[in-house]
Amino acid sequence: MATGSGSGAGRASVRPVDRPRGSSTARSKSVAPRRPPSPARARPAADHDATADLCRVRVALRIRPKNADELAQGADFDTCVELQPECKKLKLKKNNWASESYQFDEIFGENSSQKRIYEVVAKPVVESVLEGYNGTVMAYGQTGTGKTYTVGQLGKEDPSERGIMVRALEHILSSMSLETDSVAVSYLQLYLESVQDLLAPEKTNIPIVEDPKTGEVSLPGAAIVEIKDLEHVFQLLQIGETNRHAANTKMNTESSRSHAILIIHLQRSLKIKEETTVSIPSDTEHTLPGDLPLVLKSKLLIVDLAGSERIDKSGSEGHMIEEAKFINLSLSSLGKCINALAENSSHIPTRDSKLTRMLRDSFGGTARTSLVVTIGPSARHYSETSSTVLFGQRAMKVVNTIRLKEEVDYETLYKNVENEVDHLTSEMERQQKLRHREKMQLEKRLKESETFLNDLRMTSSMQIENLEKEKHQFEYAVKRLMQELEEKEGRNNVLSEKIVHLETSLNEKKQQQLESFSTTQILAETTKTYEKKMGELLRELEEERSRSASMKGHFNVLEQQLSDARSSAQFQENTARELKRELSKITQTFTSQVHSLEEKISQLVSEKELIYEELKSTQAKVQDEASHRQSLEAEVLRLKRSKTDNCAEESKTLCGMVRSGSGLGSEAFMHKSGNLKETLASQRGTISKIFEEVGLPNVLALLKSEELEVQIHAVKVVANLAAEDINQEKIVEEGGLDALLSLLETSENTTIHRATAGAIANLAMNVSNQALIMNKGGARLLANIASKTDDPQTMRMVAGAIANLCGNEKWHAMLKQDGGIKALLGMFQTGHTDVIAQIARGLANFAKCESRVISQGHKKGRSLLIEDGVLSWIMANSTMFPPSTRRHIELAFCHLAQNVENSRDIIITGGIKELLRISRESSRDDARNLAKKALNSNPAFLKEIQ
């Protein structure tokens, strides 16, 4: 039976889960979810198996403590329930002679904590829901047995009192990240066959809608509130509890008058492991997803059913009778559905009630379901307790097919791709702007360089022109100076010739002066005149020479300036050529970068179009696969219908036989109980075969493990196997008894002591095993444990093992020598009724076997029990035992009275009065007959009576 809101967007992938079937306390290991093919990388499609994992409904039983009325009864209180937590069994006693045993997945006693119940019943379901599966945790039972306390207790002040609802939400919030995941709740009640919203009381008569294709159930209009933290959880649950209908009855002061259903919606995203990196030239990296994003959507239903009740016991009247009628009607419909599922009926009447429609996925559907049934201890409510226990037994036969629901988050994928495209577009625009800005800067620099070059050209040309003008001027001046110099040289030559001529003439005149003194003065004056003229001419010549040298120096300077101007012009031309080459290179680089950017932009656009096309093709493939799966499911249903039609008449006849049996005394009920026993026997045989295949040596090897938890589980497994006769010989042959005795001697753990003593007690029921246990010192080890422990359950197991050993007269002396009898008497100090019952059974076995041996003549002398003070203990405490224990004590005392050697001790302790009382008042015929036989056959007793 399925419930939940409509399926979300995307493809729902249903795949099997591989989980080992084992203890409900062990967390199952889930298979990593497979993903559909990625659009960004070619990979093979996920292989979806058509089968799914079968998971049985797990059922635990919880018994509430005695209430005030039951405590007030004191010793008159009569219980109909006996728990066996180690064996996970419940014994339901109809009266003192008739009882039935039932096996459950877990048994919780009166002192079981809320935390342990959550960890065993609800925690595996919550962890499964966190992994993507639907789950249901439900409480069922009679009114006033603690369903609401187990499921809905808030425990805001005392965290240890918190129920399953609060602990489940606390577990979920601590396991999820609210940044990527979401948790939301709906809180509803089914009151008078009307679905009402506890978080929005104005919403009443909410419709239940079923999807015709998937069969999923949704509740449109129900409020769905997203959870923020644990304080928010307390507020919502407090609002729901305030709005829920409750009333005061004789059975319960706060009796729930409606079924409460808390629906927790979870959505978790799966991490994407593969990534592809695309590089951009500007050293920016972008990551594109390499796989499709997936989301897991799951629901957890926590159901607090209203308790079934009888009007005569609850005292309901008026409108409460109408409420009780609808409660019982919906619970009856739920029981019919579970009966049909347990019997593999072809028709499941889920539409008979809104409760069964809402829980459609929980029983026979795809959810992992845990059920806790609650009962009370009082025999006054035996019929209601029996009905609850049988309901749980039938629910254990229901098998669900759990499926993982994961969806492709196309919306997130589209947003991611769109964001990536936007990011790339903005980056491309940014790069374009950057390139444009660089281009503008380069163009500006180019223009500045061209302007500078033009200016430089103009300046150079002007300087060249000026230099050429100056050159021409200098050349003209040089020519003119050269002409002047030539002219002056000509003049100098003329003067030189004149001087030579004058010198010649002077010499001639000197000669003439020699010739004539008169002419001497004239010549002297003429010579002075000529000398003056010649000095003046020489000065003029020197001046012309100096002027010519200065003109040559100035001409050299002008030539140097001209050569410098020519070299500067050549350098500026070379600089201009270099600037042109650099500008051409920059232009080419910028053009190539622009072309590469345009090519990459076109490539990104084509990749974006390719991704969209792949998305569209993937959606088409998903639709084709969905239609193909629906056609296959329709074909399977048709084949199943054709198969079930062949035996429809036989199935209807069988259903009629089962349903016709009502009442505990009917023949059909007895037949059904017999079938249940046969089923349990076959299950035990199947367990034995499984352990044969695994190998008993491997199981026994775990007893030597260094881990305490492994040892405890191994001992419990061996103890359960030892309960079957077919397994005991194999356990002993493989050395299991030696391992158990060694563990009993070396371990200090109370749980190991308890489970080991239970296993030895089971083995001690076999005569051949008793010899091995005694010879290996088993009685001594058991007595040692009894003296050290103060745990009642451990003492009960030890007393049971010693009681079984007391049933073989061959080992009485050794049992007494090893302290077994004193250990039994010492455990009486606990005052625990179950321990005292095992003590009484052991003493009765010992006295009976000893009496038989003495009557056959194989033994004589005083009883070993009397030597250890058993007779004094019986006389001192004979009136303190409950009726069931007292019967064993009476048998032990009567068997001791059959031995004549014990007469004196019995007379001294006042045992004659006890024998007389037993002969008249005992509820057992065999005890009365043994007492009368002892009184009539023993002369010492007859003398005392007279």
Side-chain angles (χ1 to χ4, degrees):
M1 296 185 289
T3 183
S5 13
S7 61
R11 185 182 68 162
S13 174
V14 178
R15 299 192 285 106
V17 61
D18 183 12
R19 292 179 177 272
R21 299 176 179 87
S23 171
S24 61
T25 59
R27 179 180 177 184
S28 301
K29 182 179 180 182
S30 63
V31 174
R34 300 171 182 168
R35 297 180 179 175
S38 169
R41 185 174 298 177
R43 297 195 309 178
D47 183 15
H48 297 291
D49 195 352
T51 61
D53 190 38
L54 301 179
C55 179
R56 177 176 61 81
V57 174
R58 312 289 296 178
V59 181
L61 181 138
R62 183 182 195 183
I63 183 171
R64 66 159 173 78
K66 298 176 184 178
N67 56 30
D69 295 338
E70 293 166 350
L71 290 173
Q73 297 178 16
D76 295 332
F77 176 75
D78 191 12
T79 181
C80 64
V81 177
E82 181 180 346
L83 301 182
Q84 298 176 353
E86 292 80 9
C87 302
K88 298 180 180 180
K89 289 183 179 179
L90 165 74
K91 182 181 287 186
L92 189 61
K93 298 184 289 185
K94 183 177 181 182
N95 48 43
N96 293 332
W97 301 277
S99 64
E100 292 289 340
S101 293
Y102 300 95
Q103 185 86 25
F104 286 92
D105 294 309
E106 191 64 45
I107 297 291
F108 298 108
E110 299 176 356
N111 300 322
S112 297
S113 66
Q114 293 279 76
K115 179 181 180 181
R116 170 164 168 74
I117 290 174
Y118 171 75
E119 290 180 347
V120 174
V121 176
K123 186 177 181 179
V125 179
V126 174
E127 292 179 345
S128 179
V129 171
L130 287 170
E131 293 171 1
Y133 301 90
N134 291 340
T136 301
V137 179
M138 187 170 71
Y140 177 92
Q142 182 191 5
T143 181
T145 55
K147 297 183 299 302
T148 303
Y149 174 78
T150 300
V151 174
Q153 182 74 10
L154 293 181
K156 193 170 183 181
E157 302 297 333
D158 185 2
S160 64
E161 294 292 320
R162 291 176 181 173
I164 291 176
M165 288 183 179
V166 178
R167 292 180 184 271
L169 285 168
E170 185 178 9
H171 185 178
I172 289 171
L173 289 174
S174 64
S175 303
M176 296 179 65
S177 173
L178 296 182
E179 296 179 356
T180 57
D181 307 333
S182 65
V183 187
V185 299
S186 297
Y187 201 5
L188 310 171
Q189 70 171 350
L190 182 61
Y191 178 68
L192 300 179
E193 279 300 298
S194 172
V195 181
Q196 301 176 3
D197 198 327
L198 291 175
L199 300 180
E202 68 276 4
K203 297 181 180 180
T204 59
N205 201 17
I206 298 173
I208 302 176
V209 180
E210 296 183 17
D211 191 335
K213 294 183 179 179
T214 63
E216 292 188 357
V217 176
S218 60
L219 299 165
I224 301 178
V225 182
E226 188 168 351
I227 295 298
K228 300 177 182 177
D229 49 29
L230 190 60
E231 186 64 29
H232 193 197
V233 170
F234 282 120
Q235 294 176 1
L236 295 177
L237 294 181
Q238 186 65 52
I239 293 172
E241 288 301 315
T242 303
N243 294 327
R244 188 179 179 187
H245 289 275
N248 185 5
T249 66
K250 293 181 180 180
M251 300 289 293
N252 190 357
T253 57
E254 294 182 2
S255 176
S256 300
R257 314 306 293 171
S258 65
H259 307 299
I261 302 175
L262 178 67
I263 306 175
I264 305 174
H265 304 271
L266 277 74
Q267 178 170 329
R268 307 191 71 183
S269 16
L270 297 178
K271 303 286 185 183
I272 298 177
K273 297 181 179 178
E274 300 182 4
E275 293 183 350
T276 302
T277 304
V278 178
S279 298
I280 302 295
S282 59
D283 298 332
T284 304
E285 292 186 356
H286 296 277
T287 301
L288 297 178
D291 210 339
L292 291 177
L294 301 178
V295 291
L296 295 179
K297 291 186 177 180
S298 56
K299 285 180 302 185
L300 173 62
L301 271 67
I302 303 179
V303 185
D304 178 16
L305 295 175
S308 59
E309 63 179 52
R310 293 187 176 181
I311 304 302
D312 55 347
K313 290 184 178 181
S314 64
S316 299
E317 58 185 12
H319 184 65
M320 294 171 61
I321 296 178
E322 188 73 11
E323 294 174 341
K325 181 180 74 174
F326 279 101
I327 291 172
N328 292 335
L329 177 63
S330 59
L331 294 177
S332 175
S333 299
L334 179 60
K336 289 178 182 179
C337 290
I338 290 181
N339 288 341
L341 289 168
E343 297 167 1
N344 293 323
S345 175
S346 59
H347 172 65
I348 311 299
T350 57
R351 304 188 68 83
D352 290 354
S353 170
K354 290 185 178 180
L355 178 63
T356 55
R357 290 178 66 190
M358 295 174 71
L359 299 179
R360 181 177 177 183
D361 196 40
S362 303
F363 294 96
T366 62
R368 182 182 296 275
T369 301
S370 286
L371 173 66
V372 54
V373 293
T374 59
I375 61 174
S378 177
R380 175 171 170 262
H381 306 297
Y382 173 81
S383 60
E384 290 85 349
T385 302
S386 175
S387 175
T388 302
V389 171
L390 292 177
F391 178 88
Q393 292 290 305
R394 289 191 293 271
M396 290 177 67
K397 298 179 182 179
V398 177
V399 178
N400 294 348
T401 305
I402 61 174
R403 297 178 185 273
L404 179 69
K405 182 180 178 183
E406 62 181 19
E407 298 178 357
V408 178
D409 193 357
Y410 285 107
E411 183 177 355
T412 302
L413 177 62
Y414 177 78
K415 288 181 179 178
N416 292 340
V417 173
E418 194 175 38
N419 291 336
E420 189 67 23
V421 170
D422 292 340
H423 178 73
L424 291 175
T425 304
S426 62
E427 182 65 21
M428 183 177 65
E429 292 176 353
R430 190 182 69 82
Q431 293 290 338
Q432 287 179 349
K433 290 180 180 179
L434 182 62
R435 294 292 183 270
H436 180 69
R437 188 161 53 250
E438 291 178 353
K439 181 180 177 181
M440 295 297 294
Q441 291 177 355
L442 289 174
E443 288 179 352
K444 184 178 179 181
R445 288 177 59 188
L446 179 60
K447 288 180 180 179
E448 290 177 354
S449 299
E450 289 178 349
T451 304
F452 175 75
L453 183 60
N454 292 331
D455 293 342
L456 185 62
R457 285 177 178 175
M458 293 177 64
T459 305
S460 299
S461 61
M462 291 177 64
Q463 288 179 354
I464 291 171
E465 290 177 357
N466 293 331
L467 289 174
E468 287 179 352
K469 289 180 179 180
E470 290 180 357
K471 177 183 177 183
H472 291 306
Q473 289 176 358
F474 284 131
E475 288 178 350
Y476 176 77
V478 169
K479 287 179 181 181
R480 187 173 59 82
L481 290 173
M482 290 297 292
Q483 289 175 359
E484 290 178 356
L485 183 62
E486 288 176 355
E487 289 176 357
K488 287 181 178 182
E489 285 180 352
R491 290 176 186 174
N492 289 331
N493 290 331
V494 171
L495 291 174
S496 296
E497 290 177 355
K498 288 181 177 182
I499 292 171
V500 171
H501 178 69
L502 288 175
E503 286 179 352
T504 302
S505 63
L506 179 62
N507 291 325
E508 289 177 356
K509 286 178 178 183
K510 282 181 178 181
Q511 289 177 2
Q512 290 176 1
Q513 284 178 355
L514 292 175
E515 293 177 357
S516 174
F517 178 75
S518 60
T519 60
T520 303
Q521 290 180 351
I522 300 168
L523 286 174
E525 291 177 356
T526 305
T527 301
K528 290 181 180 177
T529 304
Y530 282 128
E531 284 179 356
K532 289 181 181 179
K533 289 182 179 180
M534 190 170 66
E536 291 176 358
L537 290 175
L538 287 173
R539 284 195 299 273
E540 289 179 359
L541 180 62
E542 289 294 330
E543 288 178 358
E544 288 296 331
R545 285 179 180 176
S546 64
R547 190 179 297 117
S548 176
S550 65
M551 290 296 292
K552 285 182 180 179
H554 184 63
F555 178 75
N556 291 332
V557 171
L558 290 177
E559 284 184 347
Q560 185 66 35
Q561 289 180 352
L562 180 61
S563 62
D564 292 341
R566 287 176 179 175
S567 62
S568 176
Q570 186 66 30
F571 174 75
Q572 289 178 355
E573 288 179 359
N574 294 334
T575 305
R577 291 192 193 96
E578 290 293 330
L579 289 174
K580 286 183 179 180
R581 283 196 296 272
E582 183 180 355
L583 182 61
S584 62
K585 289 180 181 180
I586 293 173
T587 305
Q588 291 176 0
T589 304
F590 177 75
T591 305
S592 62
Q593 289 180 353
V594 170
H595 286 312
S596 63
L597 282 176
E598 290 177 351
E599 290 175 358
K600 289 181 179 178
I601 290 169
S602 61
Q603 184 180 357
L604 289 174
V605 172
S606 61
E607 288 180 358
K608 176 181 176 181
E609 294 175 354
L610 180 60
I611 290 173
Y612 282 128
E613 290 177 0
E614 290 183 356
L615 283 176
K616 291 180 181 178
S617 62
T618 304
Q619 290 177 350
K621 289 180 181 179
V622 168
Q623 293 176 356
D624 294 341
E625 288 178 1
S627 61
H628 181 61
R629 184 176 71 250
Q630 290 177 356
S631 62
L632 289 177
E633 290 177 352
E635 182 67 19
V636 171
L637 291 175
R638 186 183 65 77
L639 291 175
K640 286 184 178 179
R641 290 194 190 99
S642 62
K643 181 179 179 181
T644 54
D645 289 341
N646 295 332
C647 56
E649 184 176 355
E650 182 179 356
S651 299
K652 291 180 180 178
T653 304
L654 180 60
C655 293
M657 291 175 62
V658 174
R659 291 174 183 171
S660 62
S662 61
L664 296 175
S666 65
E667 182 178 356
F669 178 81
M670 299 302 291
H671 177 67
K672 190 172 183 180
S673 300
N675 291 338
L676 182 60
K677 291 180 180 179
E678 292 176 2
T679 303
L680 294 174
S682 65
Q683 290 177 354
R684 291 170 183 164
T686 303
I687 294 174
S688 299
K689 291 180 181 179
I690 291 173
F691 276 100
E692 287 180 2
E693 295 176 0
V694 172
L696 187 59
N698 294 331
V699 178
L700 296 177
L702 296 177
L703 296 176
K704 300 178 182 180
S705 174
E706 296 180 357
E707 296 185 10
L708 183 60
E709 291 296 328
V710 176
Q711 282 187 338
I712 292 173
H713 287 298
V715 172
K716 289 183 179 179
V717 170
V718 175
N720 289 330
L721 288 174
E724 302 295 333
D725 295 338
I726 60 176
N727 300 325
Q728 292 182 358
E729 184 177 355
K730 298 177 183 178
I731 293 174
V732 175
E733 289 178 354
E734 296 292 342
L737 178 59
D738 294 335
L740 290 171
L741 292 175
S742 176
L743 198 60
L744 195 65
E745 183 176 11
T746 58
S747 178
E748 299 294 335
N749 185 270
T750 302
T751 304
I752 290 180
H753 289 166
R754 179 168 63 251
T756 305
I760 294 174
N762 290 336
L763 293 175
M765 297 176 68
N766 188 300
V767 177
S768 60
N769 295 338
Q770 291 174 355
L772 295 174
I773 294 171
M774 294 300 299
N775 289 328
K776 293 178 182 294
R780 176 181 54 79
L781 294 175
L782 291 170
N784 186 29
I785 294 299
S787 64
K788 293 193 299 183
T789 186
D790 55 358
D791 178 44
Q793 297 301 327
T794 303
M795 288 187 180
R796 183 170 68 87
M797 292 298 178
V798 172
I802 297 176
N804 290 339
L805 294 174
C806 289
N808 191 336
E809 65 277 1
K810 295 180 181 179
W811 310 106
H812 282 181
M814 184 180 290
L815 188 63
K816 176 179 180 300
Q817 182 179 355
D818 290 344
I821 305 303
K822 291 184 178 179
L824 284 177
L825 296 180
M827 286 186 284
F828 173 73
Q829 297 177 357
T830 62
H832 197 278
T833 55
D834 292 339
V835 178
I836 296 174
Q838 295 296 331
I839 295 172
R841 184 173 69 85
L843 296 178
N845 288 343
F846 195 106
K848 180 179 179 181
C849 293
E850 188 180 53
S851 175
R852 181 174 64 247
V853 173
I854 291 174
S855 64
Q856 293 174 355
H858 298 303
K859 180 183 176 183
K860 293 182 180 180
R862 190 163 168 249
S863 173
L864 297 175
L865 293 176
I866 294 179
E867 293 180 5
D868 277 353
V870 172
L871 182 61
S872 301
W873 178 81
I874 291 175
M875 297 306 298
N877 302 287
S878 59
T879 60
M880 296 173 59
F881 305 120
S884 59
T885 305
R886 190 182 305 162
R887 289 193 289 269
H888 288 295
I889 297 298
E890 290 174 352
L891 284 175
F893 182 71
C894 291
H895 281 300
L896 288 175
Q898 304 302 313
N899 187 0
V900 179
E901 299 292 336
N902 300 331
S903 302
R904 182 172 176 274
D905 295 290
I906 292 174
I907 293 172
I908 292 174
T909 56
I912 302 298
K913 292 182 180 180
E914 183 65 18
L915 284 172
L916 290 172
R917 185 192 66 77
I918 294 172
S919 65
R920 299 190 191 104
E921 301 176 3
S922 178
S923 60
R924 292 188 56 160
D925 294 337
D926 52 354
R928 290 198 303 272
N929 294 333
L930 285 173
K932 291 176 182 179
K933 178 181 176 182
L935 291 172
N936 295 330
S937 62
N938 193 320
F941 292 165
L942 290 173
K943 182 178 178 181
E944 286 294 325
I945 293 173
Q946 293 175 356

